Amino acid sequence: MILRERIAAEITAQGGWISFARYMELALHEPGLGYYAGNARQFGAEGDFVTAPELGSLFGRTLARQLRELPAKRILELGAGSGALAETLLKEGDFDYAILETSSALRERQRAQLGDKVRFLDRLPQRFDGVILANEVADAIPVHLVAWRAAGIMERGVASKGSSFTWKDKAATGGLQEEANKIAVPAPYESEIGLAARAWMRTLCEHLERGVIFVIDYGFPRHEYYHPQRAAGTLMCHYRHQSHADPFLHPGEEDISAHVDFSALAEAARSAGAEVLGYATQAQFLVNCGITDVLAEANAENALHYAPIAAQAQTLLSPAEMGELFKVLAVGRGVQTPLLGFSRGDKSHAL
Ligand SMILES: C[S@@+](CC[C@H](N)C(=O)[O-])C[C@H]1O[C@@H](n2cnc3c(N)ncnc32)[C@H](O)[C@@H]1O
């Protein structure tokens, strides 16, 4: 069965409507058919997008400086993609490394890449003491779509028409309506609410006995997320390095993601008894961790060797690329050591 038919069948079974969150879950994660679940060719130059660990080892080597300062040497990486970050970190420190990956296709790719240097988990450990890493995972967690209109708050959902899909809105209810009511935006306005991402963060914190969770992703604190000028939301699709805003175009063959509301994740962590240990732009975090020292280790005399590393630094740090849009949020419990990545800089990026 192809994914379009699978989604259309569910829409029919549900009486002609499914929430956008359910559509996104099927499009990305349906076993065997979803974008992440069905293939492993998303990453790199031939794929649909390039993540920080995929650029090269500079990101991982810099992050390792933060991780080596923490007492626990146990790392759990969520959604490890091609395995590039794990590969770098394992060269940089003597870590006990586990991966929790929802896509079986990607798990196989990671296993082929990393062999027995990592353990693969099927679920979160009941109690975890160590560091949890999630780079560009939170943006792939299905979001609910909401439209604030003069007539009231609507939940955007999906209906089918032949072999294609169309938008169909209905009045928002329950927890979604409650959350939408708390957000003051000028109608008409459309955006996302990441109910599942909040639940994900709460669950991670509940399982964290001691340690730190680093969430690294593109996104904003709430006051920037629901800015009056961002009236069409942040939903984005990536297909072969092109981005567009129509999630019905290539279900299962393209990435669908939303920016992360970091204030919501911080609140979710606090509600589960964890504390916010730091929040900064990726550029500030990497500079604090000593990215310039890592760069200085490269031989600047040899332009062929140096140029690709300098290009990685440019992409990771430049405000026009990943430096400002990407943020690092650290939450945790029982951690006495101040975190290196948040030691200096503008603290006005309030959540
Ligand atoms: C955009 S990729 C990022 C991959 C990698 N972290 C990197 O930076 O290159 C998203 C990854 O998260 C995985 N994923 C999505 N939702 C997940 C979840 N709830 N738990 C664990 N992995 C998840 C996907 O299968 C994929 O490996």
Side-chain angles (χ1 to χ4, degrees):
M1 186 187 260
I2 61 165
L3 185 65
R4 272 185 192 280
E5 290 169 5
R6 165 76 187 84
I7 298 174
E10 177 151 337
I11 292 174
T12 306
Q14 295 299 320
W17 188 93
I18 57 171
S19 70
F20 180 77
R22 179 62 182 150
Y23 174 87
M24 185 167 164
E25 188 181 349
L26 291 167
L28 295 184
H29 304 297
E30 178 66 0
L33 299 173
Y35 176 71
Y36 283 112
N39 69 77
R41 54 131 203 86
Q42 299 90 349
F43 303 94
E46 298 295 307
D48 299 312
F49 49 78
V50 180
T51 61
E54 292 289 326
L55 290 170
S57 63
L58 184 60
F59 176 79
R61 286 167 64 204
T62 308
L63 179 61
R65 296 165 71 91
Q66 164 71 87
L67 302 181
R68 283 194 298 257
E69 285 213 343
L70 294 167
K73 296 297 168 230
R74 197 171 298 125
I75 296 177
L76 169 58
E77 185 181 357
L78 307 176
S82 71
L85 181 60
E87 187 159 39
T88 303
L89 290 177
L90 283 164
K91 283 186 194 140
E92 292 292 311
D94 188 15
F95 299 116
D96 168 30
Y97 211 102
I99 290 177
L100 177 57
E101 169 61 65
T102 44
S103 153
S104 51
L106 284 171
R107 200 177 318 129
E108 286 322 305
R109 180 166 170 181
Q110 293 155 15
R111 212 189 292 275
Q113 180 94 358
L114 302 163
D116 57 8
K117 287 183 278 189
V118 304
R119 285 177 297 119
F120 290 90
L121 308 183
D122 293 330
R123 62 177 73 90
L124 281 176
Q126 207 49 41
R127 300 157 83 80
F128 182 75
D129 179 350
V131 173
I132 298 181
L133 299 175
N135 188 64
E136 288 208 41
V137 175
D139 66 77
I141 297 180
V143 286
H144 285 78
L145 290 195
V146 175
W148 288 259
R149 305 211 197 284
I153 298 176
M154 311 297 287
E155 175 174 3
R156 309 216 72 199
V158 185
S160 60
K161 206 167 89 186
S163 62
S164 57
F165 302 111
T166 54
W167 293 107
K168 190 169 171 186
D169 300 348
K170 63 178 204 180
T173 55
L176 185 65
Q177 184 191 26
E178 253 170 56
E179 290 302 316
N181 267 326
K182 291 185 205 160
I183 300 167
V185 285
Y189 191 97
E190 288 176 10
S191 193
E192 312 81 37
I193 296 185
L195 295 183
R198 295 165 201 210
W200 171 78
M201 182 53 118
R202 270 196 303 276
T203 306
L204 293 180
C205 291
E206 282 161 9
H207 288 251
L208 184 74
E209 188 172 48
R210 192 169 49 158
V212 190
I213 303 169
F214 290 96
V215 177
I216 308 167
D217 224 309
Y218 39 93
F220 312 105
R222 179 159 310 147
H223 65 275
E224 285 179 44
Y225 200 106
Y226 300 104
H227 191 279
Q229 280 171 5
R230 216 182 303 284
T234 73
L235 199 76
M236 258 189 333
C237 307
H238 287 104
Y239 186 68
R240 314 220 156 127
H241 292 277
Q242 304 277 333
S243 48
H244 67 88
D246 181 358
F248 303 149
L249 220 47
H250 309 285
E253 289 169 49
E254 66 186 0
D255 187 30
I256 306 175
S257 74
H259 287 43
V260 173
D261 172 356
F262 280 99
S263 306
L265 293 188
E267 273 169 30
R270 288 194 188 104
S271 76
E275 58 177 312
V276 173
L277 303 172
Y279 175 69
T281 63
Q282 175 171 290
Q284 187 68 63
F285 179 84
L286 294 175
V287 166
N288 287 345
C289 289
I291 192 170
T292 49
D293 297 340
V294 182
L295 256 181
E297 289 164 14
N299 180 2
E301 304 288 316
N302 180 342
L304 272 181
H305 174 70
Y306 192 72
I309 301 175
Q312 286 174 48
Q314 161 76 13
T315 306
L316 294 170
L317 299 178
S318 160
E321 300 193 58
M322 299 175 93
E324 290 281 323
L325 178 59
F326 279 70
K327 311 291 190 310
V328 182
L329 170 68
V331 303
R333 67 172 101 234
V335 177
Q336 314 306 336
T337 339
L339 298 180
L340 178 67
F342 307 102
S343 50
R344 283 166 298 182
D346 177 9
K347 301 272 192 267
S348 68
H349 291 282
L351 282 166

